[in-house]
Amino acid sequence: MLREVREAVRKLLGVEDAPEWLLRRIVQEMRERGLDVEGAVSYLAPLIERVYGANVRRYRPGRASIRKASAFLTAEMLEILGYRVEFIRLFGTAVPAAVKGEGVYTPAIPVFDSKRRTRYITALSRKLMRSVIQITTVRGAEGVLAEVVRVDRPPFYYLYTPADLRPLLEGALPIQAQRDSALNKLYQYWKLFRERGYLVLVGREIGGVVVDLLAVGLGRYAVVRGAGGRKLARLRRVLDGIYVV
C-alpha cells in the first residue's frame, strides 16, 4: 500500500511521500468509507494540500539556505549538461567536479557570496585557472555568472546560466584529486529526494540539531552524518524519518 499511496500523492501534489500519519488516515478512511487507496487520497486531498503547503511555506529557502546548497546546485547543473559529477577535496574543502577519467577531474567552484572563506578559496583557485572553472552568482566576481531560479513547484530552486559551460569544461586541464566519500553520499540523497519532488535544504537546524540535508514534503526527513544517540533521539521526536550516512 505504501507505494500506491506515494503514487497517488505524487499525482495530487508532485511529491512522492507517505508519512505514517497519512498512512493511518488513509487506512481509516478506507475502512470507514469503503474507498480504495486513490479514493482515500482524493477524499483527504484538502488536508494533504493544506499540510504540504504549510510545510513548503515554512521551509522555503532564503539566501543563507541557498548559499549552503551551492555545491549541490552546481553539481546538479553539471549533471544536466551530461557530465558525471563527483565531489573532491580541493583547498581543504569539498567541491563538485566533472569526472574526466579515473581519479581525474575538472573542478567547478561555486562562488555564492563574498565572505572571507570564499575569497580565500577563489584566490587559491587562480593558481589553477587552467584546470578550474568558477560558477558565481555574485555580480562582478570572477567566473561564469549564474542565477538561482525559484519556482513554486518541485524542485523549488535550481541553478541556471545562459553561458555554454562545455567549452570551458572540455578545454580545462584536468587534475588529480581525492574523492570526498561523505559528500558524494549526501549528494546521492540530494538527488533522490529532489527527483521525488521534495524541497531539499542543506545544513538546516531542526529540533535544535543541525542536519546535513532536510527533505520537506508531507513529512520531514533528515540525512545526517555520524550523529550520536542523543541527537538521533531528539530528531526522531520531530521528524518522520532519519537517514544516517
Side-chain angles (χ1 to χ4, degrees):
M1 188 179 76
L2 178 62
R3 184 174 181 179
E4 292 177 274
V5 173
R6 285 177 173 169
E7 290 176 352
V9 171
R10 179 138 202 171
K11 288 180 183 178
L12 178 66
L13 297 177
V15 62
E16 188 178 319
D17 196 7
E20 287 294 328
W21 65 264
L22 178 60
L23 292 174
R24 289 194 297 268
R25 286 296 304 269
I26 286 175
V27 170
Q28 178 184 342
E29 299 303 331
M30 290 173 67
R31 288 174 177 172
E32 294 180 357
R33 302 179 187 278
L35 301 170
D36 59 11
V37 168
E38 192 162 346
V41 170
S42 297
Y43 181 80
L44 293 171
L47 170 64
I48 293 171
E49 291 173 335
R50 185 167 64 250
V51 172
Y52 180 68
N55 280 346
V56 169
R57 287 190 297 272
R58 179 180 178 185
Y59 291 99
R60 188 171 294 279
R63 184 177 300 176
S65 291
I66 287 173
R67 177 179 54 79
K68 291 176 183 178
S70 61
F72 293 128
L73 290 168
T74 302
E76 185 178 70
M77 186 170 68
L78 295 182
E79 283 202 322
I80 290 173
L81 291 175
Y83 292 94
R84 186 162 69 90
V85 176
E86 290 185 350
F87 283 82
I88 62 171
R89 302 299 300 179
L90 190 67
F91 311 133
T93 192
V95 299
V99 178
K100 292 302 187 69
E102 186 65 31
V104 181
Y105 309 91
T106 296
I109 298 177
V111 181
F112 279 46
D113 59 47
S114 301
K115 294 186 177 182
R116 184 176 180 179
R117 174 64 178 170
T118 305
R119 294 199 306 271
Y120 171 72
I121 292 174
T122 55
L124 290 176
S125 72
R126 291 191 186 99
K127 300 177 182 179
L128 295 174
M129 285 311 290
R130 290 184 60 197
S131 301
V132 173
I133 69 170
Q134 292 182 176
I135 309 296
T136 180
T137 60
V138 181
R139 292 194 177 276
E142 187 174 358
V144 177
L145 186 63
E147 65 174 322
V148 176
V149 179
R150 304 170 191 251
V151 292
D152 294 327
R153 61 186 183 280
F156 299 104
Y157 63 114
Y158 61 92
L159 190 62
Y160 167 77
T161 179
D164 187 359
L165 297 178
R166 291 182 182 86
L168 295 175
L169 291 165
E170 295 303 323
L173 182 64
I175 62 173
Q176 291 184 324
Q178 182 180 2
R179 295 176 72 253
D180 189 305
S181 298
L183 261 292
N184 280 307
K185 288 179 181 177
L186 284 179
Y187 183 55
Q188 295 307 310
Y189 277 103
W190 161 276
K191 291 198 297 182
L192 175 66
F193 281 116
R194 296 263 285 186
E195 288 167 0
R196 291 181 175 178
Y198 290 83
L199 167 61
V200 186
L201 305 160
V202 178
R204 190 68 179 247
E205 181 179 323
I206 185 164
V209 178
V210 176
V211 300
D212 292 280
L213 296 179
L214 178 65
V216 178
L218 280 175
R220 298 173 301 172
Y221 309 86
V223 182
V224 294
R225 287 178 289 181
R230 289 185 178 180
K231 288 185 177 180
L232 291 177
R234 293 172 67 181
L235 290 172
R236 287 192 179 100
R237 290 198 291 267
V238 295
L239 293 172
D240 297 281
I242 306 169
Y243 302 83
V244 180
V245 297

